[in-house]
Amino acid sequence: GESGLSDLEIRVLDFERSWWRYAGAKESAIKELFELTPARYYQLLNDLIDKDAALAAAPILVKRLRRLREARERRRWG
């Protein structure tokens, strides 16, 4: 699309922005909405938040997700 992101990538960003509105567990919503395993979804999300196009499309969300990832990595590696 115009944003440089695929339709799936745009849907993933939209979902990450508002997943808590869905009833039930996040993993169930991922399977239902994207027909992906949670592991594949998070792999895709991790790649997506490294893209400049994602940062341009959703700067606040992408920066927050990058910070969360960095915090997880710091805890994991000490």
Side-chain angles (χ1 to χ4, degrees):
E2 293 171 32
S3 65
L5 299 172
S6 71
D7 179 55
L8 175 61
E9 290 170 330
I10 291 166
R11 288 173 47 224
V12 165
L13 289 176
D14 288 343
F15 176 73
E16 280 299 312
R17 199 177 281 123
S18 61
W19 66 264
W20 45 269
R21 292 186 190 141
Y22 293 85
K26 185 175 183 182
E27 282 71 20
S28 301
I30 288 168
K31 288 175 189 164
E32 192 176 312
L33 294 169
F34 299 103
E35 297 178 354
L36 295 171
T37 64
R40 178 68 191 115
Y41 172 87
Y42 287 113
Q43 191 176 38
L44 192 149
L45 178 63
N46 207 34
D47 292 342
L48 176 58
I49 65 173
D50 286 330
K51 292 187 176 186
D52 291 337
L55 182 61
I60 293 167
L61 175 67
V62 169
K63 286 177 184 174
R64 181 170 57 83
L65 292 171
R66 285 177 178 178
R67 280 195 310 273
L68 288 169
R69 179 178 63 187
E70 288 162 10
R72 269 195 311 275
E73 287 172 357
R74 275 196 305 275
R75 279 196 306 274
R76 186 177 303 141
W77 306 114

